[in-house]
Amino acid sequence: MKLSPAALARIVPFAIFMALLGLRGALPSGVNFDARWIYGLSVLLVAGALIWFWREYGELARQNLPEPRELLQAVGVGLLVFVVWIQLDAPWMQLSAPTASFVPLDEHGQLIWPLVLLRWVGAALLVPVMEELFWRSFLMRWIDNPRFEAVDPARASFKAIVLSTFIFMLAHTLWLAAIVAGLAYAWLYVRSGKLWTAVIAHAVTNGALGIWVVATGRWEFW
């Protein structure tokens, strides 16, 4: 099946990010390179892809920005998901044992601030746009109709919401927390009909999580 330009615009940035995420964990141990900086490369490439395809993201046009009430609701949901996320970390709530995949510390245990800021900016500003375009704008609607742009998010089926959330869960270690997050972001998108509400909630969650991780040293959440 041939993918439309709108579909490719939502798939390609996500595919780039996931490919580089896999590369970060696949570098041979003998390679004299700090794999943590690959995250910076992924940020640059994904940002470039989003800019390249920007005209395909009609849902993110200025006229689709949330109203003040919707904005407050999105921020509230994002904070609620953050609080829930850091609580749902019991062993049975994990798909695999958590590992600290990104620890921005030097050999003396001191924070490497360029790495911290790079990770935080990527997670709080770039990832929410990329992921909501893929998980909610594309996949959730595509499950209902391969011509996904014709699907009004307010009319997304229960099957599409649940199935896309289940797949979203598989991409995270904390499966129960991911279900809560996926359903919350989908609810915002369906309720408002505006992707920005899901993006903002996702950004608030990731931004708060990044600050909490740095403050507590719970690197397995990053």
Side-chain angles (χ1 to χ4, degrees), residues 59 140-141 144 151-158 161 186-194:
E59 288 180 286
M140 188 181 80
R141 295 193 293 169
D144 277 340
V151 178
D152 181 351
R155 296 181 178 276
S157 69
F158 178 77
I161 294 170
W187 176 78
L188 283 169
Y189 183 36
V190 170
R191 180 181 175 84
S192 67
K194 297 176 180 177

Side-chain angles (χ1 to χ4, degrees), residues 64-174:
N64 292 321
L65 287 171
E67 298 174 359
R69 175 181 55 81
E70 295 169 331
L71 176 61
L72 288 174
Q73 189 175 64
V75 171
V77 169
L79 289 174
L80 180 61
V81 170
F82 158 68
V83 171
V84 171
W85 190 281
I86 62 176
Q87 301 299 322
L88 300 181
D89 64 338
W92 68 271
M93 301 174 184
Q94 301 167 14
L95 288 177
S96 59
T99 57
S101 59
F102 192 93
V103 182
L105 301 176
D106 62 18
E107 62 272 18
H108 305 294
Q110 300 298 311
L111 287 170
I112 305 172
W113 281 105
L115 278 175
V116 171
L117 293 175
L118 184 65
R119 177 72 175 199
W120 189 87
V121 168
L125 302 181
L126 184 79
V127 168
V129 175
M130 172 198 73
E131 288 207 343
E132 293 310 311
L133 281 168
F134 177 78
W135 295 112
R136 255 60 69 178
S137 178
F138 170 66
L139 185 61
M140 188 181 80
R141 295 193 293 169
W142 181 86
I143 290 170
D144 277 340
N145 186 345
R147 295 178 62 247
F148 72 97
E149 288 181 288
V151 178
D152 181 351
R155 296 181 178 276
S157 69
F158 178 77
K159 178 187 76 172
I161 294 170
V162 170
L163 187 54
S164 61
T165 298
F166 175 78
I167 301 172
F168 176 76
M169 175 205 75
L170 295 177
H172 296 80
T173 299
L174 299 176

Side-chain angles (χ1 to χ4, degrees), residues 82 85-86 120 203-214 221-222:
F82 158 68
W85 190 281
I86 62 176
W120 189 87
V204 169
T205 300
N206 285 9
L209 184 62
I211 294 171
W212 179 81
V213 165
V214 173
F221 280 87
W222 241 10

